[in-house]
Amino acid sequence: MSENKGKALIQHYILKCFQCGVCTGSCPVSSITSFNPRRIAYKIVKGIWEIDEVWYCLTCHICEARCPNCIKFAEVVMRLREENIKRREDILDIYREMLKQFLDSGLIIKPINSDVEKYRERLRQNLNREEFREVLMEIFRKTGFKGV
Amino acid sequence: MAGINDIPDSGESLYYYPGCLSLNIYPGIAYSTLKVLEILGYKVFLGDEICCSLPFRNVGLMSSETVYSINALIMSKACLKSRFIVTSCNGCYSNLNNTLKKMSDEDFRKLTSELKLTIPQDVKILHVAEVVYKQVEEIARIGGRGLKGLRVASHYGCDYTYAHPDLVIDSVEYPRFLDDFTRRLGGEPIEYDEKQTCCGQPAVKGVGDVTMELAKKKILSMNSLNTDIILVMCPACLLAFDRVQYSLINLGEIDRVMPVIHISQLAGLVLGLNPKDLGLDLHLTREFSRLQGLR
């Protein structure tokens, strides 16, 4: 997605916001930190795109379920993160490893310890990894995902 | 609100899609789900080990088009076996249902067609908690009212309740079907102050420990009411309560831990399966004393 298209989509969602604050009152993260969805919506309307707090959202959807204007705030957050993730090498490092694991095995995490690995033997699965990677690469190509 | 009547009856074929956490952190959830569904009379096909990629979407690493295409791949493989896809994870449930909704978008349908991914119109994404809840009387008939004497605190999980208000089989803000499940199996459901709040597990990795703070609030709330079991329906929520209790007991901030159990594992216990076979000894909080001789 181009940066302009991303911003247009974010504005499409957020322009319905009339700053009632139900989102912030409902937000579990707002109850323990200074994270404030209402303020994020205000910044977007003002054309501010680099918003550090956006990384604290849990995308739990509580604010969406309660928003009187049905604003998809979690969707806004995910699109804002798409715009900003390249600036966050610290976060990228962690997800890079998960992406590598995904391409290697189909799952984003390895068995957490040897007991788990042994237990998993009773679950007989045999993903054709070569075929999986082939389809995955085609998905990446067609949807413009270029890796990290 | 979706109806419990939409959940298939026993005898039906189901495709079970386990997801990452039910395989590589708590594989007891995947095994319990398979076993319980089989005991309840379903024909179950175990799905491939392909991640639904929700964490990549949430962090903004992949676009919705990329992630929904990956889910379309999962669904197209599943539909070769059954039109009913069952998950044991709220995140996978949410992501697969998002993809199904996205199928009404013409551009996305065109994309899946170009990728040669075929998804029939009548496919349905279910959560194993819905199936198990529908069969609670059958579980009681086979296993008895095995939760008698146990105080059970339920946590439903946001990616089930709030992410898809149109699909939840109960109230979005005040779901009580896990509590009803507990009651009908002889247990005592607990009403605790933090019941509706998020466990904190979906937090982006590497930006502080919001999970610790949020899960701690819930754990202290449940612990203060002498809860015997924390009942969850998502491996991510299980991870939050399991990991944070482990930290809190080691820090001396709590003096007892409560076993955290997925609904598939709890149904398995009532049906007479062995705690070790259900993978309960793979949890960090290995507190079995209250679960021995559950029947």
Side-chain angles (χ1 to χ4, degrees):
Chain A
M1 182 169 56
S2 73
E3 199 166 333
N4 284 343
K5 193 178 167 196
K7 286 177 182 173
L9 275 165
I10 292 166
Q11 275 186 325
H12 166 76
Y13 283 110
I14 226 72
L15 284 175
K16 287 189 291 179
C17 174
F18 54 66
Q19 295 284 296
C20 71
V22 164
C23 48
T24 304
S26 306
C27 175
V29 185
S30 298
S31 73
I32 56 164
T33 70
S34 59
F35 178 74
N36 188 322
R38 186 193 59 76
R39 202 161 50 217
I40 291 176
Y42 182 74
K43 284 183 178 175
I44 294 169
V45 173
K46 290 283 178 190
I48 300 167
W49 301 103
E50 286 180 41
I51 306 169
D52 279 346
E53 305 99 283
V54 85
W55 300 102
Y56 286 95
C57 175
L58 296 170
T59 59
C60 70
H61 305 278
I62 292 177
C63 57
E64 293 183 356
R66 295 182 183 170
C67 174
N69 260 347
C70 306
I71 294 172
K72 298 284 180 199
F73 189 76
E75 188 64 28
V76 172
V77 163
M78 288 185 263
R79 288 184 190 266
L80 268 178
R81 287 173 177 172
E82 271 181 60
E83 303 268 337
N84 287 290
I85 186 126
K86 288 191 185 82
R87 286 187 268 267
R88 290 298 299 258
E89 265 302 316
D90 53 335
I91 297 173
L92 273 175
D93 267 351
I94 299 168
Y95 285 85
R96 214 171 253 142
E97 188 54 40
M98 289 159 82
L99 185 63
K100 182 178 176 300
Q101 189 60 31
F102 179 49
L103 295 171
D104 285 349
S105 72
L107 302 177
I108 61 170
I109 37 171
K110 291 180 190 168
I112 198 160
N113 57 41
S114 56
D115 289 339
V116 165
E117 196 166 10
K118 190 164 185 304
Y119 182 97
R120 243 199 84 177
E121 286 169 11
R122 68 182 73 192
L123 298 160
R124 295 176 201 284
Q125 294 169 289
N126 54 358
L127 173 70
N128 183 331
R129 291 183 183 180
E130 207 169 302
E131 193 182 284
F132 162 68
R133 269 193 290 268
E134 222 168 86
V135 183
L136 200 58
M137 288 306 149
E138 184 63 5
I139 288 173
F140 288 171
R141 197 180 63 77
K142 284 220 178 278
T143 59
F145 178 68
K146 295 184 176 73
V148 282
Chain B
M1 190 193 295
I4 195 78
N5 291 336
D6 296 336
I7 310 299
D9 290 316
S10 54
E12 192 67 68
S13 293
L14 307 175
Y15 180 93
Y16 170 46
Y17 170 72
C20 296
L21 301 183
S22 297
L23 286 172
N24 278 351
I25 295 189
Y26 299 112
I29 295 176
Y31 184 74
S32 309
T33 301
L34 279 176
K35 286 292 148 194
V36 165
L37 292 177
E38 280 169 9
I39 292 171
L40 293 173
Y42 293 97
K43 185 176 182 192
V44 192
F45 297 95
L46 176 59
D48 284 329
E49 56 271 49
I50 301 177
C51 174
C52 76
S53 301
L54 182 68
F56 296 139
R57 172 78 189 111
N58 280 354
V59 80
L61 197 66
M62 289 181 183
S63 68
S64 57
E65 286 76 11
T66 305
V67 171
Y68 295 160
S69 298
I70 292 168
N71 283 264
L73 165 65
I74 293 166
M75 283 197 265
S76 70
K77 286 162 85 73
C79 290
L80 297 174
K81 303 288 187 186
S82 168
R83 75 180 184 92
F84 296 109
I85 304 174
V86 179
T87 72
S88 50
C89 170
N90 291 8
C92 303
Y93 169 89
S94 175
N95 217 8
L96 287 165
N97 269 308
N98 275 334
T99 306
L100 207 52
K101 289 175 181 174
K102 187 76 178 169
M103 288 304 289
S104 62
D105 178 310
E106 201 182 322
D107 288 344
F108 185 67
R109 272 204 311 276
K110 194 170 159 226
L111 174 64
T112 55
S113 163
E114 284 169 13
L115 289 163
K116 299 185 181 67
L117 304 174
T118 308
I119 300 164
Q121 284 188 340
D122 61 351
V123 63
K124 205 160 168 48
I125 312 296
L126 304 169
H127 197 295
V128 68
E130 299 169 332
V131 184
V132 170
Y133 177 58
K134 175 161 183 158
Q135 298 289 348
V136 64
E137 288 307 319
E138 180 64 3
I139 294 170
R141 189 189 67 75
I142 299 171
R145 288 163 61 83
L147 300 182
K148 198 162 181 231
L150 290 172
R151 292 167 64 77
V152 182
S154 299
H155 168 78
Y156 292 82
C158 310
D159 268 317
Y160 179 75
T161 52
Y162 294 111
H164 293 281
D166 53 328
L167 298 176
V168 183
I169 58 162
D170 199 347
S171 159
V172 174
E173 291 283 1
Y174 300 101
R176 289 294 179 270
F177 71 95
L178 294 179
D179 300 83
D180 190 44
F181 177 82
T182 296
R183 190 178 297 109
R184 285 160 79 176
L185 293 174
E188 184 186 346
I190 302 296
E191 289 295 326
Y192 58 101
D193 285 347
E194 301 291 333
K195 197 158 188 164
Q196 305 311 126
T197 56
C198 179
C199 69
Q201 187 59 35
V204 171
K205 311 290 171 276
V207 287
D209 206 349
V210 173
T211 311
M212 178 75 175
E213 287 303 309
L214 290 176
K216 181 178 167 182
K217 269 170 81 172
K218 292 197 68 128
I219 287 162
L220 295 180
S221 174
M222 292 186 251
N223 215 349
S224 69
L225 296 168
N226 295 320
T227 294
D228 292 310
I229 296 175
I230 301 175
L231 173 60
V232 296
M233 50 189 275
C234 173
C237 306
L238 200 161
L239 177 61
F241 298 134
D242 198 30
R243 179 174 74 85
V244 171
Q245 277 195 99
Y246 184 76
S247 300
L248 293 175
I249 194 104
N250 284 319
L251 291 167
E253 292 194 33
I254 51 174
D255 54 11
R256 66 191 274 272
V257 293
M258 302 161 281
V260 194
I261 303 182
H262 189 275
I263 189 163
S264 295
Q265 293 172 308
L266 191 63
L269 282 169
V270 176
L271 288 167
L273 301 174
N274 180 298
K276 202 165 175 175
D277 275 345
L278 297 170
L280 290 174
D281 62 334
L282 300 172
H283 297 200
L284 280 170
T285 47
R286 300 177 185 86
E287 173 54 85
F288 294 131
S289 57
R290 275 160 275 174
L291 303 177
Q292 296 296 354
L294 197 102
R295 292 181 74 189

